[in-house]
Amino acid sequence: MSREAREFCGLFGIYGHPEAVHKTFYGMYSLQHRGQESAGMCTTAGQTLLAHRGMGLVGEIFTRDVLEGLRNPVAIGHVRYSTTGSSTIQNAQPLLFNYAAGPLAIAHNGNLVNSGHLRKQFEARGSIFQTSTDSEIIMHLLAQPAERGADEHLIWALRQLRGAFSLLILTPSRMIAVRDAHGFRPLCVGVLDGAPVAASESCALDIVGAKYLREVKPGEVVEWSANGERSFLFPEKPEVPAHCIFEHVYFARPDSLVFGESVHRVRMSLGERLAREHPVPADLVIPIPDSGNDAALGYSHASKIPMEHGFVRNHYVGRTFIQPTQGARVSGVGLKLNVIGEVVRGKRLVVVDDSIIRGTTSRGRVRLLRQAGAKEIHMRISCPPIAHPCFYGIDFPNPEELVAARMSVEEIRRHLDLDSLAYLSLDGLLSSVSNPKDHYCTACYSGQYRVPVTEKFTKLLHESKC
Ligand code: AMP
């Protein structure tokens, strides 16, 4: 798979509010953890669409002047993270196009697994693509001459798509929220002063003062227009649910409701189970901030081992994964987290984190603890080893870079220089969430892909031996 296809993103939209632009700005701000590479907003007052997109963080891109220029009462916003190959302004979203029926903007979270195939078909007929994102396919499908009514045309277009997509679509007269038939990525709906709001995570509703109402259902289209709200399902038949469990493990904010339940509660429960599955005599539980905080609290509660902060995080450094090169990532470790020597010196530590991906940053952190004089370091990870690539929107590296695809747990333990290392079991993970176990996608742990992965992804699958 080309690295360009992999992205994770955040969506926010509001229909018919006098402060729509500012609310969208704050909504995007609160979803910044879902993407820090580019951001964009598109607004309308019913005639044309106004858009502004830029590279960087929401606060840097949307100055007071830019926000004033966007003014309108209907707005959608998008934050995006992708790998370096596709880090260009052309790929920033919402994508905005003019076609026969007028202007149209799309913001997409997730990853399509049949975009290469569809793109080839369009290109063979002479279509010109302006970006390298899979999201542009959706524009091309919608821009096809509609041989049916508007709803049927949208349904037809959505049925062509395979994989993960939570979408916000904006035209001068409508705002539409869509979630793929499996419900891979989250998308919820709220209300603010009577105006409907849609967001990837409920933390964005909280921040703007909106009330959480519900999730957009898998396969649901919700449309807001001058005629009010309506909703319908687009899939031909019900599909297997496949909520991305990694949203709960790592990706979403702990103050969000995702797939209908509190991320914080789930992470606490992961930590409690981890303590029961993998106890170890120790003096202190130390979280890796911020990703391990909630699970460490759970581990501490269940094990009765006190939790202390052994690391201090510099909040002005971005997520270390976001650095483009391995070298930059390594030097980013100490910059981002520093050890409180007083806390860890001479102590037996249980260090809790959510996941190990490449092992690079974990290794650096263990080294910092050793240098500070920790007596024993026992690492506990609140999910199973990640050994398989994600094709549905989480940016994991190529399988050969996934440490668990190359090494056994014992080899990873030695590689990271740990006294012990243990991961939560898959059953423990699935027992900590409240939807039925078969409602989640766990492909990154199990290699079982809910939606068949075809075309150029096959090579990667082969490489990851699944
Ligand atoms: P490493 O030891 O280099 O594999 O890095 C592990 C750290 O990366 C953990 O603290 C995770 O919270 C964090 N992490 C996990 N998945 C991702 C991701 N997709 N993007 C950025 N960071 C991640």
Side-chain angles (χ1 to χ4, degrees), residues 181-184 238-243 438-439 450-451:
H182 310 275
F184 275 106
E239 298 282 357
V240 284
H243 309 318
D438 61 354
H439 282 208
R450 284 288 172 98
V451 176

Side-chain angles (χ1 to χ4, degrees), residues 59-373:
E60 296 160 359
I61 299 166
F62 293 95
T63 60
R64 190 184 298 248
D65 286 353
V66 168
L67 291 176
E68 268 166 26
L70 287 167
R71 56 183 183 267
N72 296 322
V74 180
I76 63 170
H78 186 266
V79 291
R80 177 172 192 262
Y81 165 69
S82 78
T83 49
T84 41
S86 59
S87 169
T88 66
I89 187 71
Q90 282 84 359
N91 287 343
Q93 296 197 21
L95 299 177
L96 174 61
F97 286 80
N98 282 296
Y99 72 117
L104 178 80
I106 280 197
H108 173 201
N109 173 209
N111 188 49
L112 304 176
V113 296
N114 66 337
S115 57
H117 168 70
L118 292 173
R119 186 170 173 140
K120 244 186 240 147
Q121 284 184 342
F122 275 109
E123 285 177 335
R125 295 203 301 267
S127 295
I128 296 168
F129 281 77
Q130 298 187 9
T131 75
S132 60
T133 71
D134 56 343
S135 319
E136 193 180 345
I137 291 292
I138 308 167
M139 308 291 275
H140 283 261
L141 285 166
L142 290 173
Q144 290 296 293
E147 288 156 9
R148 334 150 176 86
D151 286 352
E152 288 70 25
H153 185 62
L154 178 61
I155 289 170
W156 168 82
L158 295 173
R159 284 186 182 172
Q160 312 300 309
L161 307 175
R162 300 278 172 274
F165 52 98
S166 284
L167 304 175
L168 287 179
I169 302 174
L170 188 67
T171 74
S173 58
R174 299 181 295 166
M175 181 172 95
I176 300 170
V178 181
R179 204 157 158 227
D180 68 66
H182 310 275
F184 275 106
R185 301 275 143 237
L187 188 60
C188 64
V189 179
V191 64
L192 175 65
D193 306 328
V197 183
S200 292
E201 292 179 35
S202 67
C203 68
L205 303 180
D206 297 341
I207 264 69
V208 303
K211 182 170 169 254
Y212 173 88
L213 293 178
R214 67 178 182 96
E215 293 216 292
V216 176
K217 291 186 209 112
E220 189 183 15
V221 174
V222 190
E223 181 196 272
W224 298 277
S225 70
N227 300 326
E229 175 178 316
R230 67 198 184 97
S231 127
F232 53 89
L233 296 175
F234 74 82
E236 227 164 329
K237 53 178 177 45
E239 298 282 357
V240 284
H243 309 318
C244 169
I245 196 120
F246 201 63
E247 292 272 354
H248 270 303
V249 170
Y250 167 79
F251 198 36
R253 258 172 62 154
D255 52 339
S256 285
L257 296 172
V258 158
F259 310 135
E261 65 181 322
S262 156
V263 175
H264 167 72
R265 283 265 153 245
V266 169
R267 286 185 192 163
M268 284 273 290
S269 159
L270 296 177
E272 286 161 11
R273 276 175 194 277
L274 191 55
R276 286 199 288 273
E277 284 187 14
H278 301 290
V280 60
D283 304 309
L284 289 178
V285 173
I286 301 283
I288 296 289
D290 294 329
S291 50
N293 287 352
D294 308 73
L297 199 57
Y299 195 102
S300 168
H301 282 187
S303 65
K304 310 267 186 301
I305 300 171
M307 180 172 122
E308 272 220 47
H309 288 293
F311 285 102
V312 168
R313 178 173 165 191
N314 180 337
H315 284 267
Y316 305 96
V317 182
R319 286 186 173 187
T320 40
F321 257 60
I322 309 296
Q323 310 300 330
T325 64
Q326 190 77 350
R329 262 195 301 274
V330 173
S331 60
V333 172
L335 199 63
K336 187 168 165 184
L337 292 188
N338 194 21
V339 172
I340 306 178
E342 299 304 312
V343 173
V344 306
R345 195 165 305 126
K347 296 284 181 357
R348 297 170 301 162
L349 308 175
V350 183
V351 176
V352 179
D353 202 0
D354 70 292
S355 56
I356 300 174
I357 311 294
R358 295 181 174 87
T360 320
T361 46
S362 304
R363 201 164 173 212
R365 289 162 182 169
V366 174
R367 196 178 314 124
L368 293 177
L369 289 172
R370 294 254 180 244
Q371 283 164 358

